[in-house]
Amino acid sequence: MNPNQNIPEKIQNQIAQLQQMQQQLQTIVSQKSQYEMTIRETKRAEEELKEAAEDADVYMTVGSVMVRQKRDHVEKMLSEKVDTLELRIKSLEKQEKALSGRFEQLQQQVKNALEGRAPEAA
């Protein structure tokens, strides 16, 4: 006997939507975590660059090759990278907040529907 036989199709669809939203939330959180880690690494590189001697050679990786670059160019590139990643994180946070709100709302609807169908099971 299928345990979902007693659950209306509408509620089964809502449960499937909840699962899909949960996966989307996990993806957003994972991306946000990766961006945050990259920001920490980039800021650490900025700090190291500031501590290095003014006449020190500075290299950047371009693909699988390291290329000597002017210090001010590298500093600018690192700063722009942090700015870009911070914007992406803000965007992901907005998506996460909106999706979490919809998730909680749908979760409550499903819970109410299931409780309304079988109050004696509670």
Side-chain angles (χ1 to χ4, degrees):
M1 181 189 258
N2 186 350
N4 292 336
Q5 280 182 326
N6 296 333
I7 300 174
E9 187 175 336
K10 179 183 177 185
I11 296 175
Q12 289 180 28
N13 289 338
Q14 289 176 327
I15 291 170
Q17 285 179 338
L18 282 172
Q19 290 170 336
Q20 196 173 31
M21 284 182 187
Q22 191 172 28
Q23 288 174 344
Q24 289 173 337
L25 279 168
Q26 288 172 343
T27 300
I28 289 171
V29 169
S30 176
Q31 285 178 336
K32 192 170 85 170
S33 177
Q34 287 175 342
Y35 290 154
E36 288 168 342
M37 185 175 63
T38 303
I39 285 175
R40 284 190 301 273
E41 291 172 356
T42 304
K43 286 185 176 184
R44 181 70 183 129
E46 285 178 317
E47 290 171 17
E48 287 294 326
L49 195 56
K50 287 177 184 171
E51 293 175 10
E54 282 295 319
D55 60 347
D57 287 338
V58 178
Y59 293 87
M60 278 186 68
T61 55
V62 180
S64 59
V65 177
M66 291 193 73
V67 179
R68 186 166 53 183
Q69 296 283 340
K70 291 185 179 181
R71 181 187 189 111
D72 60 339
H73 174 73
V74 174
E75 288 172 340
K76 181 181 175 193
M77 296 295 291
L78 291 173
S79 178
E80 288 175 359
K81 183 175 184 178
V82 169
D83 291 344
T84 300
L85 290 170
E86 286 175 344
L87 284 173
R88 288 182 183 169
I89 288 173
K90 285 179 184 178
S91 174
L92 288 172
E93 286 172 344
K94 286 179 185 176
Q95 290 176 32
E96 180 182 19
K97 184 177 179 181
L99 193 56
S100 290
R102 291 196 325 255
F103 180 87
E104 289 173 11
Q105 184 181 24
L106 185 56
Q107 187 178 38
Q108 190 62 45
Q109 287 175 1
V110 169
K111 181 180 176 187
N112 290 342
L114 290 174
E115 287 174 351
R117 271 194 65 68
E120 66 276 354

